Amino acid sequence: EGAPYYWELGDPKDLPQVVAQRYPQQYLLDFNQQNCGYFLDMEPGRVWLESVIKKSDASKVLNLFAYTCAFSVVAIAAGAGQVVNVDLSRRSLTVGRENHRLNKHDTQQVKFLAVDILKSWGKLKKMGPYDVVIVDPPSFQKGSFIATKDYKKIVTRLDDLLNPDGYALLCLNSPEVALDDFKKTVNTILSEAGLNKKMQLKDVL
């Protein structure tokens, strides 16, 4: 309860800056809040994103619910030409911008939109199409996103956002939802929208 943590050695208050190190990449951490800014369990997704960008020459990435833009840092480092980060929290996107600067990336390649995704489809579509769309929402965001009813709205919009041969990484941070149930739900959404032949669920990380 409360997602407690403790330090084996030292104290973050004694350090001017705390970062996570992933190969040459670095990510700012903040231990004054429950989510410190970097999720270890999403590493398979980061590896997948790197491989897709490198093998398919994917250049334009849309990062929905971007939080502190870890996926964006990975995408630029892997060779993406542009990433559009979208999150309701300006504070999180500010950390994301600092993460890119920390990694000496050209921030001209990165956009940061502090908007409600469910109310911004027109803007996002106009900025596309995208080679990769990342969907990594919270299971519940008060006043903005509830996965049980809103995830479907995002999946059915992917066809408007993606290039015909594009990729989507669909995630859901909800321990009470089993992986098989999540896969069935996504396939059902695609089928009901008439997209199941166009957009097929393939890899499971």
Side-chain angles (χ1 to χ4, degrees), residues 90-161:
R90 291 184 181 275
R91 182 179 183 278
S92 294
L93 291 177
T94 296
V95 177
R97 185 179 284 103
E98 291 304 314
N99 277 332
H100 277 288
R101 288 173 177 162
L102 184 64
N103 288 279
K104 296 180 173 55
H105 291 163
D106 181 359
T107 53
Q108 294 298 313
Q109 295 178 265
V110 191
K111 296 185 182 299
F112 304 90
L113 302 181
V115 298
D116 186 330
I117 290 166
L118 299 178
K119 297 177 181 178
S120 305
W121 295 120
K123 178 182 287 189
L124 296 178
K125 183 178 179 180
K126 187 176 181 180
M127 296 173 69
Y130 307 91
D131 301 305
V132 181
V133 174
I134 300 163
V135 183
D136 184 19
S139 57
F140 179 81
Q141 192 174 52
K142 189 176 181 180
S144 174
F145 185 87
I146 302 173
T148 51
K149 71 182 184 71
D150 292 328
Y151 208 99
K152 178 178 181 179
K153 297 175 185 177
I154 293 178
V155 174
T156 54
R157 293 277 190 167
L158 288 175
D159 190 44
D160 293 332
L161 301 172

Side-chain angles (χ1 to χ4, degrees), residues 43-198:
E43 181 61 13
R46 291 186 282 266
V47 172
W48 176 89
L49 179 61
E50 285 174 324
S51 68
V52 164
I53 290 174
K54 289 176 180 178
K55 77 180 180 184
S56 65
D57 293 323
S59 181
K60 196 167 189 177
V61 178
L62 176 62
N63 186 19
L64 300 178
F65 306 97
Y67 189 40
T68 55
C69 307
F71 276 124
S72 181
V73 171
V74 168
I76 293 296
Q82 185 181 69
V83 181
V84 178
N85 293 294
V86 189
D87 199 282
L88 195 58
S89 170
R90 291 184 181 275
R91 182 179 183 278
S92 294
L93 291 177
T94 296
V95 177
R97 185 179 284 103
E98 291 304 314
N99 277 332
H100 277 288
R101 288 173 177 162
L102 184 64
N103 288 279
K104 296 180 173 55
H105 291 163
D106 181 359
T107 53
Q108 294 298 313
Q109 295 178 265
V110 191
K111 296 185 182 299
F112 304 90
L113 302 181
V115 298
D116 186 330
I117 290 166
L118 299 178
K119 297 177 181 178
S120 305
W121 295 120
K123 178 182 287 189
L124 296 178
K125 183 178 179 180
K126 187 176 181 180
M127 296 173 69
Y130 307 91
D131 301 305
V132 181
V133 174
I134 300 163
V135 183
D136 184 19
S139 57
F140 179 81
Q141 192 174 52
K142 189 176 181 180
S144 174
F145 185 87
I146 302 173
T148 51
K149 71 182 184 71
D150 292 328
Y151 208 99
K152 178 178 181 179
K153 297 175 185 177
I154 293 178
V155 174
T156 54
R157 293 277 190 167
L158 288 175
D159 190 44
D160 293 332
L161 301 172
L162 278 168
N163 277 320
D165 56 350
Y167 295 84
L169 175 62
L170 304 180
C171 314
L172 182 62
N173 178 24
S174 185
E176 65 272 15
V177 179
L179 177 59
D180 285 343
D181 291 337
F182 179 61
K183 288 167 56 183
K184 288 176 184 176
T185 298
V186 172
N187 274 323
T188 298
I189 293 169
L190 292 175
S191 180
E192 290 176 350
L195 297 171
N196 52 321
K197 290 183 179 179
K198 252 181 114 172

